[in-house]
Amino acid sequence: MGVVVVASAASPETDPDHRDTKHGRSPRIRAILAGGLVLGVGAAITLAAWNDSEFAQGTFTAGAFNLEGSTDGTAFGENPVSAPATLGFTAAPGNLAPGDVVTAPFAVRLDGTTTNDATVTVSTEASTGALTGLTYSLTQSTDFGCAEAVTGTLVAAGQALGTTPGSVTFALTQGAGTADGDAVNLCFRITADDDLVQSQSGTTTWEFAAQSQ
């Protein structure tokens, strides 16, 4: 904080007691000017600073997800739309007659790199040629093969070949650690009825689309 002290000017005309002691005379006009005196006290203070920090980091890695299929229940692999697995029917599907029933097993599972369970949706990917007079069903079984006990029906008998009802789904479970997940065993049953046309030929492809949970 600054303190200012100022001496005021005095005039000999208003200060009769004032005399010039050195020369023994009083000037007619005498001005005493006193400059301002500024008194100030200042101090610079520096404080020590203490600092400390904490840091946190996260690493984010996406899981893996892979569906495999098998036509023999043993050898599993990937079967893309460009190279679908060929179902092994119990009778030659190239020589059908009205009343014939042919079956083919299929299995799907999640491989050992998969880190999530899945819901699989079944649909018809594509069909070509003529499929008149042909119907099918799709069931789940306890083990691989169409002779095994049926545990569930995904598509009821009588479904026109080349079509799939909406909302046909089933669950798949990932394996423990790096083990493959348990397979879901399926069976296609194709039935030829009296509407079958001689020498007709057609192909249908099913899609098993797995979505992680």
Side-chain angles (χ1 to χ4, degrees):
M1 178 177 181
V3 178
V4 179
V5 179
V6 179
S8 62
S11 170
E13 296 174 341
T14 60
D15 186 8
D17 295 330
H18 181 80
R19 295 291 184 271
D20 186 351
T21 58
K22 182 178 179 180
H23 299 287
R25 58 186 177 84
S26 298
R28 296 179 64 181
I29 299 174
R30 189 173 192 179
I32 299 175
L33 301 177
L37 176 63
V38 179
L39 302 178
V41 178
I45 301 175
T46 302
L47 297 178
W50 288 270
N51 295 287
D52 190 15
S53 300
E54 293 293 328
F55 300 90
Q57 182 183 67
T59 300
F60 306 94
T61 303
F65 191 76
N66 190 44
L67 180 71
E68 296 180 313
S70 175
T71 57
D72 62 8
T74 301
F76 284 80
E78 296 184 21
N79 302 283
V81 66
S82 59
T86 299
L87 296 173
F89 285 94
T90 54
N95 191 28
L96 292 173
D100 284 348
V101 177
V102 294
T103 61
F106 189 60
V108 293
R109 73 180 185 189
L110 298 172
D111 75 4
T113 66
T114 300
T115 55
N116 295 81
D117 295 338
T119 296
V120 178
T121 300
V122 184
S123 63
T124 299
E125 165 62 26
S127 295
T128 61
L131 300 172
T132 304
L134 296 174
T135 61
Y136 78 102
S137 67
L138 178 62
T139 57
Q140 287 183 240
S141 54
T142 55
D143 207 343
F144 187 83
C146 289
E148 303 297 324
V150 174
T151 59
T153 298
L154 298 175
V155 178
Q159 183 71 32
L161 196 62
T163 67
T164 302
S167 302
V168 177
T169 63
F170 59 88
L172 280 178
T173 304
Q174 62 173 311
T178 58
D180 297 318
D182 290 335
V184 168
N185 299 296
L186 305 167
C187 177
F188 289 94
R189 286 179 171 84
I190 314 299
T191 300
D193 61 29
D194 292 339
D195 293 328
L196 186 69
V197 178
Q198 294 185 42
S199 301
Q200 75 176 32
S201 180
T203 299
T204 189
T205 302
W206 289 275
E207 179 183 11
F208 295 83
Q211 182 174 0
S212 64
Q213 300 300 306

